[in-house]
Amino acid sequence: MNSNQSIILGIAAYYHDSAAALLIDGQLVAAAQEERFTRIKHDPAFPTNAIKYVLSEVGLALDDVTAVVFYDKPYIKFERLLETYHALAPSGLKSFRAAIPVWIKEKLFLKRMLRQELNKIKIGTYKPQFPEHHLSHAASAFYPSPFETAAILTVDGVGEWTTTSLGKGDGHSISVAEEIHFPHSLGLLYSAFTYYCGFKVNSGEYKLMGLAPYGLANSEQTAFFITQIKTHLIDIRDDGSFVLNLDHFDYPTGQSMTKDENWTELFGLPRISSEEELTQPYMNLAMAIQQVTEEIVIKLARTACSKAGSRNLVMAGGVALNCVANGKLLQEDFVDNLWIQPAAGDAGGAVGAAYAHYHIGMNQARITKHPDAMSSAYLGPDITSTEIHALELKHGAQFNELSNNQLSEKVAELLAQGQVVGWIQGRMEFGPRALCNRSILGDPRNPAMQKKINLNIKYREGFRPFAPVVLESRMQDFFQLKQASPYMLLVAPITENIKQPLPDGYEQKALYEKLYTQRSSLPAITHVDFSARIQSVTQQSNPKMYALLTAFDTQTGVPVLINTSFNVRGEPIVCTAADAYRCFMTTEMDVLIINSSIFVKNEQPAWQGGATIFAKD
């Protein structure tokens, strides 16, 4: 190690999506979520495995690190808990009795806890630093972005006190203009509706977003729900600031999100569980809160850009993962350029904490990179040939090696034949999206593909849409999107030329009848509102996916594939070759590609074309 190097370890832990990130002289070299190693989805535990990984990626030991930075301030968070319980007493006594002993025994002494956990990895003298939660989010949004100056908007559930912040990034400095404080939170409002519609808080919000387009936009019930939300749950100001009516929420001191009796009276609907059927009124309710959320995000963003005097906007925080709202932002006249941290939730706080310490704490200058400094989010572990051959020794796995040219041509051929392909290449993605290094791929032209992957491979809710990956140079042939979307964080309408008319009586159809109605020439990636969540790819960002899309385009005339994360419901995205092989063998996936190795199942007959799949040039 160079003794003059700055080696900063960023850590996010103890709430959800624990992660670690490593910054060397201001360059982000590695980052990973703990869940990928423990296989516990949204694992909140201290990220021991992620820390070991990020250090090993560059051949360092923990005692080489010059600074350890945690992504929020525990004392201020404890202050918020005490003040909230005091202000709302005697409400929340049960929650108080459950929460406070944990804080007094453990979380209040977080600095000591961190030192103890770090010393389990390697004995050393560690002095953790603690930037505020929303500063970590803001730093994760601005510093890796390609902009010299930008407006910054962070929106999530809650950090210490802050739930929303508006600021400005300029050079290597960040200034905060406005904040909204707990218990008034757009993230928690959206989570309350997630809970009420039968999904799990902190992981089901994207399901609610996917359900919203099934709502009836012109129905009286949807309009009524929007009116009830704005009249009784939230007061929205012109600048996007808001106040929640806490009479209807239980989360400030309770152990659930909503006061269910109040909500049943407001909406005429009881809260449902995850096992109950989603009927049209709940789809309308999802659409209502999605539209309210979009309105607030747009107003906040407009204010942020106005206060910063910039038409560049960067975003982070869990609400920044609402890609439908993000897509609507790009249609506004006050934003020219939008960049969103691909790990916008708490995991990205590890990246932001490290950046904040380097640029603000150490007063180090910043050098912008294009398209950004996130290395296309490929910041996790790679897979070695040793791991691949271990599958052969341990499981008797059958595979053949192909050259890069053979790989793209043969996989494109398999996809065009209707095969579902597990695609593992290079370093794992950081953040919640699979970006073609840990992905499941399919043919978007195939009307049966959406149902097949959802039900027979992912084992998840059938209404969930799939995202397309597309050559950036051809993106506007299929999608109405005015800027690149490398991180699958923007939803946009499909173009008119690929739309197909809906049949008579469509609006009266049930959820799954709507779902399986073909509405475009790319039915497997077209959502019910004629939209898609897009990932665009260049040769620079992902050479192997670029080659595959080019080959598929040559064979079919369509440079688009289904791209969904390589995992099944309830599990994190796969990390290792062993994770991928296990998922491949226990689902109805047809083919597994790991780097240049192509796997088949022992009982699987030869594909159409037989041995030519493996022919050597």
Side-chain angles (χ1 to χ4, degrees):
M1 182 193 79
N2 184 333
S3 60
N4 294 320
Q5 275 188 317
S6 165
I7 303 170
I8 302 172
L9 176 64
I11 297 174
Y14 300 129
Y15 184 44
H16 57 86
D17 295 305
S18 292
L22 196 68
L23 209 66
I24 299 181
D25 290 338
Q27 180 181 352
L28 182 62
V29 296
Q33 294 118 287
E34 185 70 2
E35 67 165 19
R36 306 295 169 85
F37 305 96
T38 63
R39 312 307 301 157
I40 301 170
K41 195 163 187 177
H42 304 299
D43 194 345
F46 184 80
T48 299
N49 296 286
I51 291 170
K52 289 178 178 179
Y53 157 67
V54 298
L55 293 168
S56 69
E57 180 64 37
V58 288
L60 295 175
L62 186 55
D63 55 1
D64 293 323
V65 169
T66 57
V68 175
V69 194
F70 191 75
Y71 80 132
D72 66 11
K73 289 182 176 291
Y75 285 116
I76 300 178
K77 186 173 286 188
F78 185 63
E79 172 192 83
R80 186 249 298 170
L81 289 174
L82 288 179
E83 289 195 18
T84 302
Y85 282 124
H86 179 264
L88 299 176
S91 174
L93 181 60
K94 184 177 180 181
S95 173
F96 177 86
R97 285 175 171 171
I100 296 304
V102 176
W103 273 88
I104 292 174
K105 290 178 182 178
E106 297 178 2
K107 292 184 179 181
L108 198 55
F109 304 101
L110 186 59
K111 185 177 289 189
R112 183 178 67 190
M113 285 175 60
L114 292 175
R115 286 173 178 159
Q116 289 172 345
E117 294 294 345
L118 292 167
N119 274 294
K120 291 177 185 177
I121 299 172
K122 189 160 188 179
I123 300 296
T125 304
Y126 306 108
K127 298 179 180 179
Q129 306 296 311
F130 298 90
E132 289 189 359
H133 185 96
H134 272 258
L135 176 59
S136 294
H137 276 321
S140 79
F142 177 60
Y143 291 128
S145 80
F147 310 134
E148 283 291 339
T149 62
I152 304 172
L153 176 61
T154 70
V155 190
D156 68 0
V158 62
E160 296 88 2
W161 277 103
T162 305
T163 66
T164 303
S165 74
L166 284 63
K168 179 179 182 179
D170 188 359
H172 70 280
S173 68
I174 287 177
S175 57
V176 177
E178 302 286 347
E179 292 182 340
I180 298 172
H181 289 170
F182 184 86
H184 307 289
S185 166
L186 180 57
L188 291 174
L189 174 66
Y190 202 85
S191 291
F193 279 86
T194 300
Y195 163 83
Y196 205 75
C197 290
F199 303 121
K200 188 176 180 180
V201 172
N202 290 328
S203 64
E205 284 76 7
Y206 57 94
K207 298 180 185 181
L208 187 72
M209 182 179 67
L211 183 67
Y214 292 94
L216 302 177
N218 299 318
S219 78
E220 291 183 4
Q221 187 179 56
T222 302
F224 168 73
F225 288 158
I226 291 172
T227 299
Q228 292 296 87
I229 292 168
K230 290 184 175 183
T231 303
H232 297 284
L233 296 185
I234 186 168
D235 178 16
I236 307 168
R237 316 292 167 75
D238 289 342
D239 63 358
S241 61
F242 54 84
V243 176
L244 297 186
N245 181 354
L246 300 179
D247 290 343
H248 297 288
F249 297 91
D250 194 48
Y251 67 77
T253 58
Q255 295 181 308
S256 64
M257 294 302 297
T258 63
K259 293 183 178 177
D260 292 356
E261 290 183 4
N262 295 24
W263 281 49
T264 300
E265 184 177 344
L266 280 177
F267 299 115
L269 297 172
R271 181 174 72 85
I272 59 171
S273 70
S274 58
E275 290 78 28
E276 294 180 77
E277 182 182 357
L278 286 163
T279 56
Q280 190 62 55
Y282 293 94
M283 302 174 212
N284 294 342
L285 190 62
M287 173 172 276
I289 187 55
Q290 177 63 33
Q291 289 187 5
V292 170
T293 299
E294 291 165 11
E295 176 186 340
I296 296 169
V297 168
I298 289 169
K299 287 181 174 179
L300 287 169
R302 186 185 299 276
T303 302
C305 288
S306 175
K307 286 183 175 292
S310 177
R311 296 179 66 85
N312 300 325
L313 176 66
V314 299
M315 294 174 63
V319 176
L321 294 172
N322 192 309
C323 48
V324 179
N326 298 340
K328 298 287 178 65
L329 267 177
L330 274 181
Q331 299 173 22
E332 296 295 320
D333 59 5
F334 60 87
V335 176
D336 287 339
N337 303 293
L338 175 64
W339 192 87
I340 302 159
Q341 166 56 239
D346 273 16
V351 170
Y355 269 119
H357 182 76
Y358 183 74
H359 291 298
I360 300 172
M362 298 174 61
N363 196 32
Q364 294 294 308
R366 172 173 171 258
I367 300 174
T368 57
K369 292 185 177 182
H370 293 273
D372 58 51
M374 285 297 295
S375 301
S376 300
Y378 305 131
L379 295 163
D382 206 339
I383 291 178
T384 65
S385 58
T386 301
E387 288 182 71
I388 296 170
H389 285 282
L391 298 176
E392 182 180 29
L393 295 172
K394 187 174 181 179
H395 302 289
Q398 299 177 13
F399 66 92
N400 285 73
E401 294 292 333
L402 299 178
S403 69
N404 284 340
N405 287 338
Q406 286 178 316
L407 187 68
S408 55
E409 293 297 326
K410 296 304 181 183
V411 174
E413 180 183 335
L414 294 171
L415 288 163
Q417 291 171 2
Q419 305 284 346
V420 176
V421 175
W423 179 260
I424 307 292
Q425 300 293 329
R427 295 179 68 179
M428 181 179 66
E429 302 91 336
F430 180 59
R433 308 295 185 215
L435 301 171
C436 298
N437 276 15
R438 300 290 185 277
S439 291
I440 297 171
L441 308 177
D443 184 349
R445 304 169 304 156
N446 188 334
M449 195 57 66
Q450 198 264 6
K451 184 175 184 179
K452 177 179 179 179
I453 297 177
N454 260 342
L455 301 184
N456 299 338
I457 295 171
K458 300 280 285 187
Y459 304 131
R460 68 181 195 177
E461 299 90 348
F463 69 83
R464 302 267 296 279
F466 285 119
V469 56
V470 58
L471 288 177
E472 188 175 301
S473 59
R474 296 282 306 282
M475 179 177 69
Q476 293 182 347
D477 294 346
F478 302 90
F479 308 106
Q480 299 178 48
L481 186 60
K482 68 180 183 180
Q483 75 166 53
S485 180
Y487 297 120
M488 206 188 284
L489 287 170
L490 299 171
V491 164
I494 61 172
T495 52
E496 292 295 327
N497 62 297
I498 67 169
K499 276 188 180 180
Q500 294 181 0
L502 295 173
D504 292 339
Y506 172 81
E507 291 291 353
Q508 285 68 50
K509 291 179 180 289
L511 185 152
Y512 287 104
E513 290 180 295
K514 288 181 179 178
L515 174 64
Y516 300 130
T517 298
Q518 189 162 330
R519 53 185 46 79
S520 83
S521 58
L522 302 179
I525 55 85
T526 303
H527 204 15
V528 291
D529 59 351
F530 295 99
S531 73
R533 176 164 52 97
I534 300 150
Q535 180 195 357
S536 58
V537 166
T538 65
Q539 191 166 23
Q540 176 188 2
S541 67
N542 193 318
K544 284 195 172 182
M545 180 49 57
Y546 179 88
L548 177 56
L549 286 167
T550 300
F552 192 75
D553 185 26
T554 300
Q555 294 183 27
T556 67
V558 176
V560 184
L561 290 171
I562 295 169
N563 172 25
T564 187
S565 57
F566 198 140
N567 65 318
V568 297
R569 182 181 183 182
E571 289 188 1
I573 296 172
V574 299
C575 177
T576 65
D579 296 336
Y581 187 74
R582 181 174 57 252
C583 186
F584 170 59
M585 293 300 293
T586 55
T587 68
E588 295 184 29
M589 211 178 306
D590 299 301
V591 186
L592 172 62
I593 312 292
I594 304 181
N595 295 340
S596 59
S597 301
I598 182 166
F599 291 77
V600 298
K601 295 175 181 174
N602 293 337
E603 72 279 5
Q604 183 170 311
W607 296 296
Q608 182 179 346
T612 59
I613 294 298
F614 302 123
K616 304 296 183 185
D617 289 339

